[in-house]
Each structure stands twice: as structure tokens, then as C-alpha cells.
Amino acid sequence: MTSTKTLCPYCGVGCGLEVAPVGQPDAETENYLVKGDRAHPSSKGMVCVKGATIADSIDKNRLLYPMLRDSLDEPFRRVSWDEALDAIAQRIRQVVDTQGPEAICMYGSGQLQTEDYYTAQKLLKGCLGTNNFDANSRLCMSSAVAAYIQSFGSDGPPTCYDDLEQTDCAFLIGTNTAECHPIVFNRLRKYHRKQKGKVKLIVVDPRRTETAKDADLHLAIRPGTDITLMNGIAHILLRKGWIDPLFIEEATQGFTPYAEVVDHYPPEKVAEVCGITVADLEQAARWWGRSKSVLSLWSMGINQSAEGTAKARTLINLHLMTGQIGRPGAGPFSLTGQPNAMGGREAGGLAHILPGYRLVKNPEHRQAVETAWELPAGSISPTPGLAAWDMMVGLEQGAVGVFWVAATNPAVSMPDIERTKAALRRSPFTILQDAYYPTETAEYAHVLLPAAQWGEKSGIMTNSERTVTYCPAFRDRPGETRADWEIFAAVGRRLGFEQQFASQTSADVYTEFVQLTAGRVCDMTGLSHQRLAAEGPIQWPCPQTETPDTASTKYDKRLYTNFRFPTPNGRAQFAAFHEQGLTEPPDPEFPFVLTNGRLYGHWHTQSRTGRIDKIRKMHPEPLLEMHPIDAQHLRVQSGDWVEVRSRRGYARLKVVVTQYIRRGVLFIPMHWGALWADAAECNALTHSAVCPISLQPELKASAVAVVPITEAMLAGDRTHQQVSESLELAASNAVLQH
């Protein structure tokens, strides 16, 4: 039995997997044994339920052939690849001629491989001249990207997973790591328990999550008070002298105005605003200030905010004032939510960036990329493209003529989902490129393109710690599926850019891409498919010629170990922020703050995990967590149904009464779309306000009201058996249409 080493295609932890076929090779459905790869440096053989069951979904409800329809009122019809690609190229030409290239938009995904991302950038930003490529990473970690760029001069987490086992104090804020990044947390928890009493774990979260249950100190702050908390910690650090004056003097800029701001955050005031005790606040500051190495971890609870960039920078400030960066066990570490969100950042996969951690606003950066792509000067626009939510607004206003979606499901994941669906309905031409059918977004598509997925194409993914893994194909592609980069390239050639899309293999595409990283923070010129296949995963920076700063081990490399930063003056930048609070605070009409998040077994909109029986049994139905006192006031108990209402919509959910959440705060899982349950969409309730710097939506907090409902009101709701039947029927109908 021959096994293949690859990477789990779920979260940004980037766990190594070994996959081997089992059973008869000529069987109609292939079966695989999946286990953790003990040699992978990030996961060391560990695997969560999602990774362990990944093969269970690989042949379920697949989109196998190109499909086309002229309007959303018509059924899809099967067409050839030539017909589908010709229709796309013709529509793009027409829209460019009549509306200009800015009317073309592509919305991608952190599930794309680096070669897919890179080819899409060349097509849109280079050949078509529009920066309107954005990804669902905008909803995930764009605030972290902006914070790293503004504080350090470049994107890129400066830490590595080995820091989990070398820190004295782990500070987790806005992350339920145990459920959302389980293997990272398994490493940290094991180390924390082994070093009992010597290593401190601080968790900041309004809920007592699985992560918080292991904490030495749980700070259950009010939603929206993160900056106040961190400024309060800084106030104590400064007052007690627990800072690094030499590092501040020699490696940073802007400390004085920052210190003036944090002077306004005395412990008593901070504790009152945050809803915690002064003693707990001082304990957190004491552990941070007296530790030799402090590692912070954060995720969506920080990023998904109208103050997302400010929150992330305020956390980075704590590291700068204490010199906690560039050495083992220390540094600010953002955890990405998707398997190749980091690779997307490297390849330029957001509307304001270019490959190699370049910016579209920088003329030297544009020129370097134009030269590499053999395009005339001025081909790349200096104007950042439309971010994810701006694309929805563009559809509303009729400014978007082609909307191309690849490997994601915006009809579930976007904020203010009813408004999103109305915008998608207005699209004159939507292309959906996906591995599965049906998905909620397929309802709004004119063209369906069948994409090869995990195990069916060879390519590169980079995880949260910057470890690059080669993921080889190990099975034949079903039906007429194609790799995403091949689809983008085929359209590019039809548009007349033969020279730009001449690559024959994904290895060729990657070789071309890494040349654009030369001399950059994310230098990967020493990497190739061949080297990664032979040697295994390697962490960047990995230049063709190693330097003293990059020549540690191949997967234990930290950034900024010389305390010099890629800013114009070589210094990291402090930034001072006062808390602005929630965009939509509770009021008498909507008295609760609703937050949301991922469940352990789920993945985004369930387009893959919803098709795995074991995971569906783990999380059989939507739920709403509520504090006992709130439940008592509403006269509801666990198992009762309620209607949660916001200014935009409603959801009907079953109550789970728990003491593990603050009073006045509610929690709902974010994964259920219209395919999986009726009236249970988290984003029917969320609003579309974004961080003005990162343009990341504030998905984590909305004001809502709760109304108990009767069984009669639920008569239309479906059971999970009915969901299964509806999926099977939809798949059968698709086959019939073929």
C-alpha cells in the first residue's frame, strides 16, 4: 500500500497527512486511509476529526462537468469546456469594452493553492488591468495583514510553532484555539501541563470556551473592549517599569505618543469598562511583564472588527514595549483560518497587494511585477481594487459586469446575507468555480466550472507559521474537473495572453512565482516542487542563497531576530488607539450582543464537512448559547426554540443554557447555510460595517433581540434526514441534466 504525504485542506494550522488507498483499485468509489504525518514539523503526526475524515467527502456531490444557463430562472445545461470558456472570454471582452476592466471582479479563497492564486493575479491585475481580486481571507485575517505591514513594514507572522513549546507566557485573545486550530492548541496544552506552574496561559474571551478552560487566567471581557484591556495592561507595564527601554530606543519609533495614550487607562477604569476585576487585570500584566518570553495568539475575535487593525496593532504594541519579538517563545502570532491563506498573501491574493508582499500603490512594486510578467509599463493599476464587501455593493449598483467566484461560498459567508443574496441576484454574469454541487452560491451562478480539489492536483500551500508544503495529486480527477490555475490560464489564453499563460505544469507556475519573492521578507527563491517533494516542508524565508538571518533550521526560522524591520528607517512602529467600541452596541430594542464562531468539526459553510456523516452527527443542529440569568428573564430553557432578531433579519435556533458565557452575550455557530437548516443563518443577523484600514467586516458582534417561539412556528423546519435527501435529490437532478 503506497502512501502519499500531503497537507490537510482545512484550517491554517497546516497539518501533515499521509494518505493511502484501501480496497479494490477498480471500485466505483475510492476509499483512503488518512493518518497524521509524524515527520511534518507543524503537526508532528497529530490530526483532528476534520483531517481524519477528509477522504469521506471526496466523491460526494461533486461538480463534474461545466454547466451553463442564460438566466437564473433557467435550469443548468451541461456544456463542453470550450463552450464554457468561450462564453466567459466573450463576456469579459464585452464588459471591458463597455464598462472597463474595473467591472470585472474575482472573489477567491484561502483554499486555493499558491499556483491558483498567482495565476489569478496575473490574469486580473496584470493582463486585464484591474485589482478587483479579493478573497474570503478578507473576512479572515486582513486586519492582521494590515497590522503587520503598518507595525513592521511587511506582512508575515514573525514566529513559528516551536515557540509554543518555548514560551513562558501565552496570551490568547480573540481565538478559541482549541476548537478552531486544535493541533496548535494540543501542542500548547501539552507543554503547559508539562510545565505546570512555570508557564502561564492567559485567555481573553467573553465565553469560557474549550480554550479558556485550560487557562491559568480567563479574562471574560465585554465584547468590544479589547483595546481598553490591552491599553490597561500597557499602563501597568509602564508604571511598574516592566518594559525594555533599550529595545524601544534602538528598534522602535512612536513610543512617546503611545505612552501618553495608555496613561489614560488606569486599572480601575479599565476593569470597569471590561467587566473584570482589577486583580485579574494586574495579574495579566504581571505575568506578561515578568516573563522572559511572551507569545500572543489571536484570530477572528480580533480581526473581525471595525477596529480590527487597531486591535492587532495594540497587541503588537505590548510586544514592542517589552522587546518580546525575534527570539524563541516570543512574538505576535496571528492564526489564519484557511489552509493557504498565507500562500495567498505571498502571491498577492487581496485587492491591495501584489506577489512578493508588494503593494499596488507602490510604483516600484508595480514595475517589478510588470517586468516579470512581460507586460507594458502601466498595465497594473495603482488603485487598490474592490474588497469583498465592496464587490457586493458594486453588484447592487450595477457597476460589476462579471463576478467570478472560486472555491468559496459567499451566499453563506458574507455579512448581512439577505442583502448579499439580493446583490448576487443582480449580477448579470456570475461564474462559480467549485468542487461541489449544490452549494448555496450555485443558485446565483450563470456558469458552473468543475474544479479539481484536494488530492486531485499538485501544488503548494503555506500554513500560519510560514511552513511551505508540497501537496501532490494522488488520485485521478473525476469527470472533467480541472485545477483552478489551469482554468484561469485557459481564459487568459483565450483573451490573447498566450505568452503570459504558457506554463504547462503547476511546477512551472511555482518556479515563476518564487522569482517574484527574491529579496523580499517572504523570499522563497530556494524552494521548488522538486526540493519540497524530496526534502519535505520548509519554512520561509528560504532564499536561493542563505544568509545568517535565514540559515537556521529549515522549519524553525523567526523574523526580525536582528531587531531590524523592513520599514524606511528600520524601526518597528508604535500606534496609539483609543477604544471606539462596537459599531452596533446593544440598546433597549436589541439588548444582546451576538457573537459567533467555528465549531470543532465544522469548516466554514459546510460545503465539504456537511457531507461527512461523522461530523454531522457531532454537530447535528444549530444552537444558541445563552447565560442562565438571561434565559430566566426570557422564560426559556435548554431545548426551547427562540427567534433571534437583528435590524437585518432573523434566525430560529434551539437554546443551550450555559454559565460559560457572559450575561448579555449570545453565541451562534457560523456554518449553517440554507442547504443545511432553515432560518439558521448566522449572517442573516450580522452587519456590514468594516475596519477602515483593513476593510475586514465586523462579523463578531451584532445587536440582537430574542423572542421565544412555539412549535407551530417551526412547522417548516427540516430534519437532518430531510437535508440529506435534498442533497441527494439535487445531485441526482444535476446528473439528469448532464
Side-chain angles (χ1 to χ4, degrees):
M1 184 170 63
T2 303
S3 66
T4 301
K5 291 192 174 187
T6 183
L7 199 72
C8 177
Y10 285 114
C11 77
V13 173
C15 297
L17 299 179
E18 283 194 55
V19 185
V22 294
Q24 298 298 321
D26 58 348
E28 185 174 332
T29 300
E30 295 178 284
N31 295 309
Y32 298 90
L33 174 66
V34 180
K35 63 180 182 179
D37 175 9
R38 293 182 179 274
H40 198 284
S42 298
S43 52
K44 301 183 177 182
M46 292 183 285
V47 63
C48 77
V49 67
K50 293 190 291 291
T53 60
I54 175 61
D56 293 0
S57 67
I58 202 165
D59 286 313
K60 291 183 179 178
N61 305 131
R62 291 297 300 272
L63 178 62
L64 298 175
Y65 307 99
M67 309 283 280
L68 187 65
R69 60 181 174 183
D70 297 324
S71 75
L72 301 186
D73 298 328
E74 300 176 4
F76 284 107
R77 64 184 186 278
R78 178 179 168 180
V79 297
S80 67
W81 269 106
D82 282 339
E83 185 175 351
L85 295 172
D86 286 343
I88 292 168
Q90 181 180 352
R91 180 59 66 106
I92 289 175
R93 287 194 200 94
Q94 177 188 345
V95 170
V96 170
D97 289 343
T98 57
Q99 295 179 263
E102 297 307 323
I104 310 294
C105 292
M106 183 180 289
Y107 185 55
S109 165
Q111 296 178 69
L112 295 172
Q113 292 179 335
T114 300
E115 296 83 355
D116 306 323
Y117 260 118
Y118 176 71
T119 306
Q121 305 319 301
K122 185 190 288 189
L123 175 60
L124 267 77
K125 295 175 180 176
C127 298
L128 292 177
T130 174
N131 292 319
N132 290 342
F133 180 101
D134 214 46
N136 56 13
S137 299
R138 178 73 64 180
L139 311 182
C140 175
M141 51 64 191
S142 57
S143 293
V145 173
Y148 281 140
I149 291 172
Q150 292 187 354
S151 292
F152 300 146
S154 173
D155 188 14
T159 47
C160 60
Y161 290 160
D162 282 358
D163 291 321
L164 296 165
E165 291 114 354
Q166 298 183 46
T167 191
D168 297 318
C169 178
F171 184 85
L172 280 59
I173 182 168
T175 169
N176 182 9
T177 321
E179 293 195 81
C180 299
H181 301 90
I183 303 308
V184 160
F185 193 72
N186 285 353
R187 288 183 63 169
L188 178 60
R189 176 164 45 196
K190 183 178 179 180
Y191 170 70
H192 176 240
R193 290 175 177 175
K194 184 178 180 180
Q195 300 291 326
K196 187 171 180 62
K198 298 178 182 179
V199 173
K200 302 303 181 184
L201 175 59
I202 305 168
V203 174
V204 184
D205 197 306
R207 301 168 63 224
R208 190 166 184 259
T209 61
E210 291 301 312
T211 305
K213 290 174 184 177
D214 277 278
D216 298 300
L217 177 63
H218 174 210
L219 301 175
I221 63 172
R222 291 188 177 96
T225 62
D226 309 80
I227 290 176
T228 295
L229 173 73
M230 291 184 284
N231 281 347
I233 291 174
H235 178 101
I236 298 171
L237 293 173
L238 190 58
R239 189 182 69 193
K240 295 287 189 179
W242 293 329
I243 63 174
D244 189 334
L246 184 61
F247 181 86
I248 293 169
E249 176 66 26
E250 296 188 352
T252 73
Q253 181 173 319
F255 178 71
T256 299
Y258 168 66
E260 291 172 355
V261 166
V262 301
D263 187 52
H264 296 282
Y265 290 83
E268 294 75 16
K269 175 183 175 181
V270 169
E272 181 180 358
V273 171
C274 295
I276 59 176
T277 67
V278 171
D280 282 350
L281 175 65
E282 291 179 337
Q283 182 71 283
R286 185 179 303 111
W287 284 344
W288 185 299
R290 291 182 173 178
S291 296
K292 293 181 179 179
S293 57
V294 182
L295 179 70
S296 66
L297 304 175
W298 84 90
S299 190
M300 301 309 103
I302 290 291
N303 293 336
Q304 289 180 335
S305 167
E307 298 180 281
T309 305
K311 289 180 180 181
R313 293 202 70 186
T314 302
L315 179 57
I316 291 171
N317 288 340
L318 295 177
H319 286 273
L320 296 180
M321 72 187 299
T322 53
Q324 295 286 358
I325 190 171
R327 48 195 177 84
F333 196 171
S334 67
L335 297 174
T336 50
Q338 298 180 88
N340 199 37
M342 279 297 301
R345 290 148 74 169
E346 298 154 9
L350 289 170
H352 63 295
I353 60 177
L354 293 168
Y357 282 177
R358 293 177 173 86
L359 302 174
V360 300
K361 287 185 174 181
N362 187 312
E364 294 179 0
H365 291 182
R366 296 195 304 274
Q367 183 180 21
V369 177
E370 288 165 349
T371 300
W373 287 346
E374 300 182 336
L375 293 168
S379 295
I380 299 174
S381 169
T383 304
L386 297 178
W389 181 251
D390 293 328
M391 291 182 181
M392 298 301 104
V393 176
L395 288 169
E396 281 183 336
Q397 298 174 347
V400 176
V402 172
F403 185 54
W404 192 338
V405 180
T408 188
N409 195 11
V412 179
S413 59
M414 280 285 183
D416 197 352
I417 202 64
E418 291 307 318
R419 183 178 172 188
T420 293
K421 291 176 182 178
L424 291 171
R425 246 177 245 114
R426 288 179 58 86
S427 174
F429 193 75
T430 294
I431 307 156
L432 177 60
Q433 190 166 306
D434 208 330
Y436 291 99
Y437 180 84
T439 67
E440 288 85 351
T441 302
E443 181 180 342
Y444 305 95
H446 300 85
V447 184
L448 298 177
L449 301 179
Q453 64 150 321
W454 176 81
E456 297 163 0
K457 60 180 184 178
S458 297
I460 298 297
M461 288 194 174
T462 307
N463 71 1
S464 290
E465 67 163 345
R466 297 176 281 107
T467 292
V468 184
T469 301
Y470 173 62
C471 308
F474 56 80
R475 71 191 302 260
D476 293 335
R477 296 177 183 175
E480 295 180 5
T481 56
R482 295 186 181 184
D484 295 277
W485 75 267
E486 294 171 345
I487 299 171
F488 300 144
V491 172
R493 290 191 293 271
R494 275 173 166 74
L495 293 172
F497 299 99
E498 296 279 348
Q499 183 176 341
Q500 282 73 25
F501 299 101
S503 294
Q504 297 298 305
T505 67
S506 60
D508 295 338
V509 176
Y510 191 71
T511 297
E512 177 185 319
F513 158 66
V514 297
Q515 299 312 306
L516 272 168
T517 69
R520 309 294 298 168
V521 169
C522 58
D523 195 326
M524 290 174 272
T525 49
L527 299 181
S528 65
H529 279 207
Q530 293 78 8
R531 181 180 178 185
L532 290 164
E535 298 182 23
I538 299 175
Q539 190 185 29
W540 64 254
C542 185
Q544 198 160 20
T545 302
E546 293 278 9
T547 68
D549 288 332
T550 64
S552 53
T553 70
K554 70 176 183 178
Y555 50 77
D556 185 10
K557 299 181 178 183
R558 297 172 182 87
L559 303 181
Y560 316 131
T561 54
N562 61 358
F563 305 142
R564 302 302 293 169
F565 299 88
T567 56
N569 61 9
R571 294 171 176 267
Q573 307 294 309
F574 280 96
F577 298 95
H578 288 293
E579 192 91 70
Q580 300 300 310
L582 299 177
T583 299
E584 191 176 71
D587 59 28
E589 185 179 1
F590 298 96
F592 294 97
V593 175
L594 178 72
T595 188
N596 58 74
R598 183 184 296 169
L599 298 179
Y600 169 65
H602 273 167
W603 172 248
H604 286 193
T605 65
Q606 298 196 74
S607 55
R608 182 185 275 132
T609 56
R611 295 169 165 90
I612 299 173
D613 292 338
K614 182 175 181 178
I615 289 178
R616 286 172 61 184
K617 290 175 182 176
M618 288 176 59
H619 306 300
E621 60 187 353
L623 57 89
L624 179 75
E625 287 188 4
M626 179 183 299
H627 190 274
I629 294 178
D630 293 327
Q632 184 179 10
H633 288 164
L634 290 166
R635 297 182 181 178
V636 297
Q637 56 189 352
S638 290
D640 288 349
W641 286 85
V642 296
E643 186 167 282
V644 185
R645 300 172 180 171
S646 76
R647 291 175 174 85
R648 292 152 298 279
Y650 72 93
R652 290 177 175 175
L653 303 160
K654 189 177 287 188
V655 172
V656 174
V657 178
T658 174
Q659 294 183 345
Y660 293 163
I661 193 167
R662 282 189 65 100
R663 287 182 60 184
V665 179
L666 307 173
F667 171 81
I668 177 177
M670 66 184 189
H671 314 86
W672 272 276
L675 270 178
W676 308 102
D678 280 339
E681 292 165 299
C682 167
N683 283 324
L685 303 162
T686 56
H687 58 79
S688 59
V690 301
C691 170
I693 302 170
S694 69
L695 304 182
Q696 181 159 357
E698 186 169 272
L699 289 165
K700 275 292 182 277
S702 305
V704 299
V706 178
V707 179
I709 58 178
T710 65
E711 289 295 327
M713 296 172 67
L714 299 169
D717 285 1
R718 298 172 294 171
T719 67
H720 281 268
Q721 178 63 34
Q722 289 170 319
V723 171
S724 292
E725 292 171 357
S726 69
L727 284 171
E728 292 169 5
L729 179 60
S732 299
N733 288 341
V735 171
L736 290 173
Q737 290 163 10
H738 296 165

